[in-house]
Each structure stands twice: as C-alpha cells, then as structure tokens.
Amino acid sequence: STVERIKNDPNGKLLFGIMSNINQYYIDNLSTEVMKGLREIALQKKWTGGIPPLGYDVKNQELVINDTEAVVVRKIFEMSAEGNGYNTIIKTLNEKGYLTKAGRPFGKNSLYSILNNEKYKGTYIFNKCSRRNSENKRNSHKYKWLSSKSRCCSNKKRKCNIFTYFRNERCI
C-alpha cells in the first residue's frame, strides 16, 4: 500500500524504485491515451477544446459561423486588405462598439492574433506549439508542427484531407 512506511534498507529502496517507475508509467500511458483521443477527435473534424476564434461558436464539438461576430472579422480583413494600419482598424472597431471574444475592446494583440490565425483561411491546425530556442525558452512566433494541417478545398475535383475544418468547406 502507498500509505505504508517504506524502510530505508535495500528492500525498501527497491520497493520505492518499483513504485516510482509504476507511477511514471501510469502518467506516461495516460498522456499517450489522451493524445490518441484528441487526435481521433481532430480526425473527425471536431473541435478539440479551447476558446473558438472570433466569428465562430462550438456546437456539438464543431465550429459553426457566428454571423454577428463574422461581420467584425470580415470588417477587420477588409480594412487590412485596403491597407489600413492596426491603429486605424482598432479605432474604427472600438468606435463602433465591437468587442473581442473575451468581451474586451480591441487592441493590437487581439488584432494581430485574428489577422495571423490560419483558421480564417480554412486551415485545420491541431497540436501546434511554440519551438524552444537554445536557451530552452519558447518563441511564440516560431512553431513546430507536431501534427497535420490542411486547407479547405474549393475545387471539388481535388480530394480534401481528413483534417479539413468545415464539413461544407465554407470559411469566413
């Protein structure tokens, strides 16, 4: 039992080592099983968790377009395509009373994350994480791909990858 005291003799050290390794095996195995489950959910084109991007809601584990928020996202991309800078876009959005998914006014970080979010292009991203540099620190602008990503297909002759986000292939 884990409640029993383990003696500090060779037998106790052996028992402690075995128990430690069994516990570590349990943790590693649990981590592997959780990732298998998440990967399977991703293969089924379902949302794997977290806050959905602005313009989307999650219904039955699937991303669906939120028409009220999608107007804001379209406005952001239109203004950016017209050559407007961050400050102009932020000022316009905040003057009109638009808010981020978190319910706050827009700032440069929220605008940057929307304009650089590949989900708005129709790319499914699963298990993306930041790379570590030589000092073992994360750089949030450089990513390594631990899993697949793919684009929505607009051409029906091409076969869509199973990682495509949208069942109807309609992106904001």
Side-chain angles (χ1 to χ4, degrees):
S1 165
T2 57
V3 184
E4 293 178 28
R5 291 187 53 91
I6 298 174
K7 294 181 183 174
N8 195 14
D9 62 357
N11 290 337
K13 290 178 182 176
L14 176 65
L15 179 62
F16 181 76
I18 291 170
M19 289 173 61
S20 295
N21 285 330
I22 289 172
N23 288 335
Q24 189 61 47
Y25 167 78
Y26 174 78
I27 291 168
D28 293 343
N29 187 49
L30 182 61
S31 173
T32 304
E33 293 299 318
V34 167
M35 282 308 295
K36 273 192 220 174
L38 287 174
R39 192 172 291 114
E40 186 61 34
I41 290 170
L43 286 169
Q44 295 172 8
K45 305 173 191 173
K46 294 188 177 182
W47 184 248
T48 55
I51 299 171
L54 185 69
Y56 292 101
D57 287 328
V58 177
K59 295 221 175 26
N60 298 325
Q61 283 190 307
E62 293 183 5
L63 283 180
V64 292
I65 295 174
N66 177 330
D67 293 324
T68 17
E69 292 177 356
V71 171
V72 180
V73 175
R74 286 187 193 105
K75 181 83 172 159
I76 290 170
F77 279 99
E78 286 169 6
M79 290 182 74
S80 178
E82 291 169 0
N84 292 306
Y86 278 27
N87 290 333
T88 308
I89 297 171
I90 291 167
K91 184 179 176 190
T92 305
L93 295 174
N94 291 335
E95 283 175 355
K96 292 187 177 188
Y98 294 134
L99 299 173
T100 64
K101 194 77 168 179
R104 296 187 205 115
F106 282 90
K108 287 185 180 179
N109 289 338
S110 55
L111 197 59
Y112 175 86
S113 65
I114 289 171
L115 290 171
N116 291 293
N117 191 337
E118 293 188 55
K119 290 179 187 88
Y120 294 116
K121 297 179 200 171
T123 305
Y124 184 93
I125 298 172
F126 170 69
N127 203 15
K128 180 179 180 180
C129 70
S130 303
R131 287 187 182 173
R132 292 183 184 264
N133 63 15
S134 60
E135 298 169 355
N136 206 23
K137 293 184 179 176
R138 293 196 184 270
N139 180 344
S140 61
H141 301 293
K142 294 182 181 175
Y143 297 100
K144 65 179 179 178
W145 296 99
L146 301 176
S147 263
S148 295
K149 69 176 191 172
S150 70
R151 289 248 157 90
C152 286
C153 302
S154 56
N155 183 353
K156 296 295 179 192
K157 292 178 184 175
R158 273 187 18 215
K159 222 176 164 184
C160 277
N161 189 307
I162 53 176
F163 277 93
T164 307
Y165 241 138
F166 311 101
R167 292 191 192 284
N168 62 2
E169 298 180 6
R170 183 176 145 222
C171 307
I172 290 182

